[in-house]
Amino acid sequence: MEAAHPPVSGATLSVESPQQMQELGRRLAKILRPGDLVMLTGELGAGKTTLTRGLGEGLGVRGAVTSPTFVIARVHPSLVGGPALVHVDAYRLGGGLDEMEDLDLDVSLPESVVVVEWGDGKVEELTDDRLHLLIHRVTGDTDDDRRTVVLRGIGTRWADEDLAAF
């Protein structure tokens, strides 16, 4: 018997500037809650950290949200009594879940919002429910700030969220 696939909801958005990417993060923060896993996929310079900066602003967390490339993970505690933001850059982690387990994300997940850049194939086993954002740059002129963002809510947590409202 084949295992049932988790429900998937989604939307595709056009983002015209870094300011709009950050605003998308602020808007998404309003629907995030403790225990949510957000995966960000996109090439270098696509806007993953810019979006996460907006999430941090929307969640009201302490500290500047910058790329955690060299520290792997940063925890930003809430200043407003909400969940902490755990920002992970899995780019340099090649070993998949074993290396991710060393970060104790499964411990952080229930009470935090965990955002993982470059997490494809590395963090899906942490939870059946996740919000996956695929950020695509416009091809051609590399100075173009336009992006297409595909939002995919995977699992029962996201089944009733209207992602098209963003």
Side-chain angles (χ1 to χ4, degrees):
M1 178 184 254
E2 192 173 319
H5 294 285
V8 177
S9 62
T12 301
L13 312 171
S14 292
V15 175
E16 302 295 323
S17 68
Q19 294 80 13
Q20 283 187 3
M21 186 68 77
Q22 201 161 333
E23 177 58 27
L24 174 60
R26 284 191 288 271
R27 290 193 332 258
L28 283 171
K30 293 177 183 174
I31 65 167
L32 295 176
R33 57 187 188 216
D36 282 345
L37 173 64
V38 180
M39 290 176 53
L40 302 179
T41 301
E43 62 191 47
L44 287 171
K48 298 178 296 297
T49 300
T50 300
L51 185 128
T52 305
R53 191 171 298 120
L55 288 173
E57 290 174 6
L59 290 170
V61 299
R62 185 178 72 218
V65 174
T66 59
S67 178
T69 300
F70 297 105
V71 294
I72 309 298
R74 281 198 175 93
V75 177
H76 298 274
S78 177
L79 295 172
V80 295
L85 172 66
V86 178
H87 185 196
V88 179
D89 186 330
Y91 183 75
R92 294 185 305 137
L93 299 179
L97 198 58
D98 289 341
E99 284 186 67
M100 294 303 288
E101 284 178 353
D102 290 343
L103 298 175
D104 285 334
L105 292 182
D106 53 338
V107 173
S108 301
L109 191 56
E111 68 271 359
S112 305
V113 170
V114 177
V115 177
V116 182
E117 297 184 26
W118 306 98
D120 293 29
K122 298 175 184 172
V123 297
E124 290 88 344
E125 293 179 35
L126 289 174
T127 178
D128 291 335
D129 301 303
R130 61 193 170 276
L131 180 61
H132 191 174
L133 283 76
L134 293 91
I135 305 171
H136 302 283
R137 295 175 75 170
V138 173
T139 57
D141 183 2
T142 57
D143 290 337
D144 198 319
D145 288 330
R146 290 178 294 159
R147 306 287 190 263
T148 299
V149 180
V150 179
L151 298 148
R152 289 182 54 224
I154 301 165
T156 55
R157 155 70 178 98
W158 297 101
D160 295 327
E161 287 291 349
D162 183 14
L163 297 177
F166 290 94

